[in-house]
Amino acid sequence: MAMTMATTTTSTITTTSTTSTISIAVEGKVAANDLHSNDTAVNEVDPPDDMEDIDDDSPEAKVARVGETVKVTKDGGVMKKVLKDGEDWERPADGDEIRVIYIGRLREAGVEPMNGAEFDRNEDKSRPFTFTLGKGQVIKGWDKVVPTMKKGERALVTIKPEYGYGDTGAGDKIPPKATLEFEVELLDWRNVNALTTDGKVVLKFIKQSPGGWQQPKDGWELTSLKKFKKDSANAGDIAVLTVGPPHHPRVQGFPEDVTVQYEIFTLRWTEVEELEGSTDRAAVKKVLQEGDGWEKPKDGSTVRIKIEAKTQQSGRCFIGPEESEVVLGQSDLPEAVEAALLTMKMGENALLTANGDWGYGSTATAAKGLDDVVLEGFVCQLELLDLKKAKESYDLTKDEKIADSQMQKELGNQFFKDGKTRMAIRKYEKVIQYFQYEQNLSPDEKAKVNAIKLPCHLNLAACYLKVGQDPKVIEEATKALEISPHSVKALFRRAQAYLKQLDLDLARRDVDKAMEVDPNDASLARLQLQIRAEQKRVDERDKRMFQKMFR
């Protein structure tokens, strides 16, 4: 089984005045929230065979010189004569907020252009007419002609009834089946797809596929066809990305004053999911092949998998390639592999990338000589071949839940000792969920349940301390205190979390209460000294701050 790795190619850029051009197309794989990335890995690719030619209705087909009349639509229902040329080359797109001034007249037989009866006028540049392009807020003819105009352009636009007010007309001034004439000046527009506050990075959709219901999310990989361009958009574009200084790539020799345009064809996207418990993309799963159905494994499910795992840098294979059958929550697989399998569907193929601390834990790492996995992290190609569901908790009797809870707690204890903290968390949480909605327990059953839940809450607090989730430490310790109000371990662990959050009064209160129960506990005494030292540091900092304020 071959492991898929990204490769990078270098493109040669040439520039002409202020617009960059490039001679090749590239396939880029980038995170959906990182389109501006300067270090994207890319592979060369040819344009798709099914890209369409520009049709006659596209704005780019109607470039006109001053004094020239052109068809805006194939049927001549909208015509445009440029009276004054506009600036630059950009044109507005659907979704943009347009600002225009205009004069509206009837086009009457035997009457020279621009001399028909006037029915509307707005030439006040301080209060121009504003609308959103392509949303049906104006007559169809306007939505057709405005995308052909440049900023500052003034044009005489003739609109036949089918693109105007049709067979009915509008009010007293526009009769049925009227041909209309507008002098329109495009003042400017606001692009609603600006990606930066200065408006220098703009994404304009030229053609959007109807697609399905699913849309890419932050962190997913987009596979797109992308190339630099000099002229206006080509047919088949999904979007044009305009990048002006100072946002273009920091490449040696790249001119600082150029504006670059990218044509972007989105071909597909790949779901990328950060695993539960991961932060800063420490453990990430990328779907290579979608699975079937909706069912996913749970803790206790028996799964048959195909697996191959290698260290990230040296590429040493330390698992497989092989097929194996394991029970989730009881296997000796790396933590990241267990966590990934819980998110997979039948037949799904995924590539898992994880840091070294998502591996085997301290005990197994030392026993198997896997220090390089810890140092380098690892990549793993994983396929879910078969799944046998575990028995649901609601199918268990109270006695079965109590018996299984004891076993799950012991597994959690072993995982914690072995350094597999996240798997320990899963076990302890499973025990607590068993009895979350259990009612009508007898006093004896409630005592048995609490005897199991209390150490689980305490151990969860210890686990969350280890992974740095202080709010969860406080939550679990508080739940333990609801069962045993004088639990020294619960008070101690909650005080530790309060100290890390600099809630020193709360930390001091918990330590004092714990020392009332066990005044000779050395750990409590050390924590008390730490709180006092932190309070002294905070007081000295505040004193210096106030001294500066009143100088």
Side-chain angles (χ1 to χ4, degrees):
M1 183 185 300
M3 304 302 291
T4 303
M5 304 296 176
T7 60
T8 304
T9 61
T10 303
S11 302
T12 303
I13 300 171
T14 60
T15 62
T16 57
S17 64
T18 60
T19 305
S20 309
T21 63
I22 197 166
S23 58
I24 65 168
V26 299
E27 180 185 65
K29 294 183 178 180
V30 299
N33 58 344
D34 284 334
L35 283 175
H36 58 279
S37 174
N38 297 328
D39 54 0
T40 301
V42 297
N43 300 311
E44 293 189 12
V45 66
D46 293 325
D49 293 333
D50 58 353
M51 289 297 182
E52 300 173 1
D53 294 331
I54 298 176
D55 62 43
D56 290 338
D57 275 338
S58 64
E60 287 71 24
K62 283 68 134 196
V63 178
R65 293 182 291 274
V66 174
E68 181 182 3
T69 300
V70 295
K71 289 182 179 181
V72 175
T73 58
K74 293 179 185 178
D75 59 5
V78 181
M79 305 284 289
K80 182 183 82 166
K81 179 180 180 181
V82 178
L83 304 177
K84 184 187 78 170
D85 201 5
E87 304 171 15
D88 299 324
W89 47 267
E90 286 190 282
R91 296 175 176 84
D94 284 358
D96 289 351
E97 186 179 279
I98 307 298
R99 299 191 334 133
V100 297
I101 56 174
Y102 66 92
I103 302 172
R105 304 184 183 92
L106 298 177
R107 184 66 183 270
E108 300 169 297
V111 178
E112 290 293 318
M114 305 175 66
N115 286 297
E118 185 176 309
F119 60 82
D120 197 8
R121 173 188 292 258
N122 181 353
E123 291 195 293
D124 185 351
K125 291 188 177 182
S126 65
R127 300 180 65 183
F129 176 59
T130 302
F131 67 97
T132 302
L133 186 61
K135 302 300 180 182
Q137 296 179 1
V138 291
I139 57 175
K140 189 185 298 185
W142 274 50
D143 272 340
K144 291 288 186 182
V145 74
V146 171
T148 73
M149 299 179 69
K150 297 182 286 188
K151 180 180 178 181
E153 178 180 326
R154 190 174 183 90
L156 182 64
V157 182
T158 304
I159 299 175
K160 291 186 177 179
E162 55 268 33
Y163 291 94
Y165 292 99
D167 294 338
T168 59
D172 297 332
K173 294 186 176 182
I174 301 177
K177 298 183 179 181
T179 296
L180 310 176
E181 182 182 82
F182 291 92
E183 283 183 65
V184 182
E185 182 174 344
L186 177 58
L187 300 180
D188 56 29
W189 65 89
R190 184 174 68 86
N191 192 291
V192 295
N193 295 313
L195 303 183
T196 56
T197 54
D198 61 5
K200 296 294 184 65
V201 181
V202 176
L203 184 67
K204 287 190 176 182
F205 288 98
I206 305 302
K207 178 180 178 182
Q208 291 181 272
S209 169
W213 58 270
Q214 196 176 38
Q215 297 293 323
K217 302 175 183 177
D218 282 355
W220 289 24
E221 284 190 356
L222 300 180
T223 300
S224 61
L225 182 69
K226 180 177 68 175
K227 62 181 177 179
F228 287 93
K229 64 185 291 293
K230 177 181 177 181
D231 300 315
S232 53
N234 290 326
D237 286 0
I238 282 184
V240 173
L241 180 68
T242 303
V243 182
H247 302 288
H248 43 51
R250 294 188 179 93
V251 179
Q252 187 173 3
F254 195 102
E256 294 183 357
D257 59 345
V258 302
T259 294
V260 178
Q261 271 200 317
Y262 297 87
E263 293 173 340
I264 301 175
F265 305 92
T266 301
L267 305 180
R268 60 185 177 273
W269 53 72
T270 302
E271 182 178 352
V272 179
E273 176 180 359
E274 186 163 25
L275 300 180
E276 185 177 357
S278 167
T279 57
D280 298 325
R281 300 179 72 79
V284 175
K285 184 196 79 171
K286 180 170 73 173
V287 178
L288 304 178
Q289 177 64 49
E290 286 281 351
D292 299 322
W294 55 270
E295 191 172 37
K296 299 176 182 179
K298 296 182 180 179
D299 190 272
S301 296
T302 300
V303 296
R304 187 165 59 88
I305 61 174
K306 184 185 292 184
I307 183 170
E308 180 182 16
K310 297 181 179 181
T311 54
Q312 284 199 44
Q313 297 175 26
S314 63
R316 184 178 74 83
C317 184
F318 60 92
I319 302 178
E322 64 186 27
E323 290 188 16
S324 61
E325 186 171 276
V326 297
V327 178
L328 294 184
Q330 300 177 34
S331 78
D332 62 352
L333 293 170
E335 281 194 291
V337 175
E338 279 254 355
L341 285 167
L342 293 172
T343 70
M344 295 177 68
K345 301 173 185 176
M346 189 78 73
E348 181 177 323
N349 194 317
L351 184 68
L352 174 64
T353 307
N355 291 349
D357 65 346
W358 278 79
Y360 288 97
S362 54
T363 303
T365 296
K368 297 182 179 184
L370 296 171
D371 291 339
D372 56 345
V373 175
V374 176
L375 291 172
E376 299 181 28
F378 60 95
V379 291
C380 176
Q381 191 153 347
L382 192 61
E383 185 176 357
L384 180 58
L385 303 174
D386 196 15
L387 163 63
K388 297 175 184 175
K389 293 174 59 178
K391 200 171 183 180
E392 298 287 354
S393 61
Y394 51 75
D395 292 327
L396 301 176
T397 66
K398 290 178 185 177
D399 289 339
E400 287 175 329
K401 286 182 180 179
I402 291 172
D404 192 60
S405 293
Q406 188 64 40
M407 184 188 76
Q408 298 297 331
K409 186 190 74 171
E410 291 171 359
L411 283 169
N413 293 345
Q414 189 60 51
F415 284 136
F416 186 75
K417 291 176 184 177
D418 290 343
K420 288 188 167 183
T421 307
R422 300 172 191 89
M423 290 185 69
I425 288 173
R426 205 164 75 226
K427 290 300 179 184
Y428 297 137
E429 288 182 340
K430 184 175 182 178
V431 171
I432 292 166
Q433 289 168 2
Y434 266 163
F435 303 103
Q436 189 172 5
Y437 303 108
E438 196 68 60
Q439 297 177 345
N440 303 319
L441 293 173
S442 68
D444 183 55
E445 289 171 334
K446 188 172 183 179
K448 288 180 181 179
V449 169
N450 283 340
I452 297 172
K453 287 174 62 178
L454 177 60
C456 287
H457 285 302
L458 291 171
N459 293 345
L460 276 170
C463 289
Y464 286 126
L465 267 174
K466 192 171 182 179
V467 297
Q469 295 189 36
D470 299 323
K472 296 289 287 183
V473 176
I474 294 167
E475 178 184 335
E476 295 300 333
T478 300
K479 289 177 180 177
L481 288 166
E482 291 171 0
I483 297 172
S484 178
H486 301 291
S487 170
V488 172
K489 286 184 178 180
L491 291 166
F492 175 70
R493 288 168 187 167
R494 192 169 71 172
Q496 287 179 295
Y498 281 143
L499 173 60
K500 289 173 69 177
Q501 292 186 339
L502 293 182
D503 290 328
L504 301 182
D505 290 339
L506 295 175
R508 190 182 301 110
R509 184 193 66 185
D510 276 356
V511 169
D512 290 346
K513 188 173 180 180
M515 293 189 78
E516 290 176 7
V517 179
D518 190 353
N520 299 316
D521 189 303
S523 297
L524 287 172
R526 286 193 296 269
L527 184 57
Q528 191 176 55
L529 290 175
Q530 291 173 10
I531 294 170
R532 289 173 181 171
E534 187 62 34
Q535 185 67 64
K536 182 179 179 181
R537 188 191 67 80
V538 170
D539 291 344
E540 289 174 350
R541 181 200 64 190
D542 292 346
K543 182 179 178 181
R544 288 193 299 270
M545 183 179 67
F546 284 122
Q547 285 174 342
K548 290 180 182 179
M549 290 175 60
F550 292 103
R551 280 181 181 175

